Amino acid sequence: MTYEALANLQTRNGQMQVWEQAPTTAVDQIIGRNASATTEKARFAGLGSALLEQVASTGASYRQTIVNVGATYSPGKIQGKATDALWAIQSRPSASADLTIKTQSGATVRISIIDQKNPSATGSGIAVQIEVDGDLTPQEKEALQSLSKGFDQALEGLTGETPTLDLQGLMKFDSKLLTKVELKTELYGLNDKGDRAMVLSTRFTANADSREIEIKTLKGTASVKTDLRQSAIWGSAEQKAQAVQQYLGRVDKAAERGNGNQELVDLFKSSFSALHGGYGATEKAGSLDRVTPADITSDAHAFSDEDHSLLTGLADFKATILTNRRASNPRHTNEIDIFDYKLEQSTRISGGSAANRAITQAQTSDLTAAFHRSLRTKREPDLGSDTSTQNYYYTQVEDHSSTLVELAYEKDKPVRALISHTASQSLHTIMVENNKVVDTIDEPLQQQSKQKDLLPLLEQLRRQEDAGQLTQEAKDRTLREWNGMVLEGLNAA
């Protein structure tokens, strides 16, 4: 690998910039601008879109590196310092991003950005690379370019001082031209011991059938995966938004009850919102092009308004938040701190036709948590080997809730419409003073179970509608009430 210094070397504070190859492209201009910035957000700014636009324009591979090294005017020393800096950037980056896109024609595009913003003995710098395997069609190049802004937005959110997930732009890819979009990012910093560590890792994967986000922090992991294969169950934008807000409220309550890590919870919530905001009318219409009319799981007209009111409106999903298991009390290592929260929705659709359809949708949530708290504040106590430090509450939580909706029709006549809710809560706390248990607090085990048969109401609504005795306003109000019954189960536990 040959490094070439600029013809007129500019030095500042004893530093010089050295390029892998002569800078001639728009990407080079942005790299040169960003290389002097001090924050990851500024160093990544505009770089993702520039790289996507370049590959969309040329369809060719590309690589470039810029390094800031101590000034020297010996060509041999410049080469040596630049080589050392490149190795340091790639082996110990401060941040990195990899975007992989696969096209319908079989081509693969991989874009990588590796950054080292922290000055060191070997220097700092930015390395980028575009790898193109296969030939891109003109339409695929346009599809790549359409993701430019979304790539920038994703990088901007993830490299901010408070990382956020802004993936809307990347999720709006044309599945007729692109088969897969995957973004991986890593941010490095210092752990609690002051050692270099990966402080945030994210992986976003999307294809025609699913979307998935996986997050890793120093405190734990979070993941959300949506299944887009049954687009018939998706509700309107308003219904989806209401369901998402209900779930986010449930997550907040679980985090408060189980002492969840707030940073991880916030990242989970933004992931959950992002994935459920990334599908809708466009994908639903597109999915109809690839199924037969008999496939009621993807038929936008297979379900009635009444059906949709008795479903959440969301695509099926699995979601988890899991903090690292910790034995934070050296005197009682069996007292494990943990926050394990799971949410899931699964829908089963059967029947040979829309007129003879059957739908079963299950929602579940499970919380297992245990944590220590100071006797005087809500903060975590500073526990040590000395008896004098053994003053704390230790709480264990075990909660479960579920909602089941069952619908069935025969010759388009409703024969079953049932909503079932179950919930249970358990909380056990010990109070310890000077390493002795002085009190035990047990909340009485709370168990709830209720069932609502909506078949008579559904039949009545249809009779009133057939007789012209039901206004659209009254019908909409009734359907909103039914949808509220479905979402009510989310707050049962």
Side-chain angles (χ1 to χ4, degrees):
M1 187 177 300
T2 300
Y3 281 80
E4 177 181 313
L6 295 178
N8 297 313
L9 286 173
Q10 298 293 322
T11 63
R12 180 182 300 171
N13 298 325
Q15 293 284 307
M16 67 165 50
Q17 286 188 335
V18 184
W19 297 77
E20 177 178 351
Q21 52 190 334
T24 58
T25 69
V27 173
D28 297 334
Q29 292 180 6
I30 293 176
I31 295 175
R33 177 198 69 189
N34 293 3
S36 59
T38 57
T39 66
E40 293 295 2
K41 185 175 182 179
R43 293 173 72 86
F44 276 78
L47 197 48
S49 60
L51 288 163
L52 266 178
E53 287 169 3
Q54 176 156 319
V55 72
S57 174
T58 67
S61 299
Y62 161 86
R63 63 184 299 151
Q64 180 65 284
T65 304
I66 182 172
V67 293
N68 298 311
V69 298
T72 181
Y73 296 96
S74 165
K77 290 183 178 180
I78 292 175
Q79 174 71 32
K81 285 192 172 186
T83 302
D84 290 343
L86 175 63
W87 181 86
I89 292 169
Q90 293 181 335
S91 61
R92 292 175 63 85
S94 58
S96 66
D98 286 282
L99 177 67
T100 302
I101 300 174
K102 295 186 177 182
T103 72
Q104 287 285 2
S105 69
T108 299
V109 176
R110 182 174 179 267
I111 295 175
S112 65
I113 306 172
I114 302 176
D115 179 47
Q116 177 49 265
K117 70 179 177 65
N118 303 314
S120 65
T122 54
S124 61
I126 302 173
V128 301
Q129 185 170 359
I130 299 172
E131 297 176 272
V132 180
D133 182 10
D135 296 325
L136 297 170
T137 68
Q139 294 79 12
E140 289 170 351
K141 290 179 180 179
E142 290 181 8
L144 290 175
Q145 188 166 12
S146 70
L147 297 178
S148 298
K149 184 178 179 181
F151 190 17
D152 265 349
Q153 290 172 336
L155 294 178
E156 181 179 352
L158 290 167
T159 57
E161 185 175 349
T162 302
T164 58
L165 286 100
D166 186 352
L167 301 169
Q168 294 299 321
L170 284 181
M171 282 192 283
K172 294 177 181 177
F173 67 95
D174 189 343
S175 60
K176 295 179 181 178
L177 296 170
L178 308 179
T179 61
K180 183 179 180 181
V181 175
E182 182 178 63
L183 174 63
K184 297 179 181 178
T185 65
E186 293 181 351
L187 295 175
Y188 290 84
L190 301 178
N191 60 20
D192 296 338
K193 297 179 180 179
D195 299 325
R196 180 180 182 275
M198 187 172 65
V199 297
L200 176 63
S201 167
T202 66
R203 185 177 74 87
F204 164 67
T205 306
N207 56 44
D209 293 330
S210 67
R211 308 278 194 271
E212 183 174 10
I213 297 176
E214 295 178 339
I215 299 169
K216 294 182 181 180
T217 73
L218 292 175
K219 302 300 182 181
T221 62
S223 66
V224 183
K225 183 175 183 179
T226 54
D227 183 343
L228 306 183
R229 291 174 296 178
Q230 298 188 130
S231 57
I233 67 175
W234 303 349
S236 65
E238 179 183 359
Q239 184 185 10
K240 284 169 52 187
Q242 182 180 357
V244 167
Q245 287 305 310
Q246 288 280 354
Y247 268 106
L248 296 185
R250 178 60 180 269
V251 172
D252 285 333
K253 289 182 179 179
E256 181 179 0
R257 182 168 168 84
N259 197 39
N261 176 262
Q262 194 59 52
E263 177 190 16
L264 197 58
V265 168
D266 289 343
L267 287 169
F268 172 87
K269 289 170 62 179
S270 63
S271 301
F272 191 88
S273 298
L275 287 197
H276 285 295
Y279 58 89
T282 301
E283 290 84 354
K284 199 168 187 175
S287 67
L288 295 178
D289 297 335
R290 62 183 184 186
V291 298
T292 63
D295 186 359
I296 61 175
T297 65
S298 300
D299 186 350
H301 306 291
F303 293 174
S304 66
D305 291 342
E306 294 87 346
D307 294 341
H308 283 293
S309 74
L310 294 172
L311 303 173
T312 66
L314 300 179
D316 286 345
F317 65 88
K318 291 183 178 181
T320 64
I321 311 175
L322 178 62
T323 60
N324 301 329
R325 292 174 60 89
R326 293 187 307 132
S328 61
N329 190 348
R331 291 288 293 268
H332 300 281
T333 56
N334 61 314
E335 295 176 352
I336 300 297
D337 293 335
I338 186 71
F339 181 85
D340 185 356
Y341 187 52
K342 297 181 178 70
L343 291 168
E344 183 175 354
Q345 174 188 295
S346 60
T347 307
R348 183 176 179 272
I349 302 172
S350 59
S353 66
N356 296 289
R357 64 194 180 277
I359 312 158
T360 302
Q361 185 172 84
Q363 306 167 63
T364 60
S365 69
D366 293 280
L367 171 63
T368 299
F371 55 92
H372 293 82
R373 273 187 177 164
S374 168
L375 295 180
R376 295 173 178 81
T377 69
K378 290 187 176 182
R379 301 181 63 181
E380 183 176 328
D382 185 13
L383 300 172
S385 299
D386 295 337
T387 300
S388 60
T389 68
Q390 296 293 305
N391 300 283
Y392 60 89
Y393 293 108
Y394 180 62
T395 299
Q396 296 170 291
V397 180
E398 196 77 37
D399 294 347
H400 170 79
S401 70
S402 68
T403 298
L404 182 66
V405 173
E406 300 170 87
L407 301 172
Y409 292 82
E410 293 180 2
K411 297 182 180 180
D412 207 31
K413 178 182 178 181
V415 294
R416 187 173 181 83
L418 194 65
I419 303 178
S420 305
H421 298 304
T422 62
S424 64
Q425 290 185 319
S426 171
L427 185 144
H428 172 75
T429 301
I430 59 171
M431 179 180 180
V432 178
E433 291 183 351
N434 294 320
N435 202 38
K436 292 183 178 180
V437 177
V438 298
D439 196 9
T440 299
I441 306 166
D442 284 308
E443 285 187 1
L445 178 63
Q446 300 182 24
Q447 293 182 321
Q448 302 177 39
S449 179
K450 56 183 178 180
Q451 199 172 71
K452 179 72 173 179
D453 187 357
L454 288 177
L455 184 58
L457 297 178
L458 181 56
E459 292 173 332
Q460 180 183 13
L461 182 139
R462 284 199 162 193
R463 286 195 300 270
Q464 291 176 335
E465 195 170 22
D466 291 342
Q469 300 173 346
L470 187 68
T471 65
Q472 187 62 46
E473 181 181 358
K475 179 180 178 180
D476 290 343
R477 184 169 57 250
T478 298
L479 297 185
R480 284 195 297 270
E481 291 174 357
W482 291 0
N483 191 239
M485 294 179 190
V486 173
L487 297 177
E488 177 189 353
L490 301 176
N491 300 312

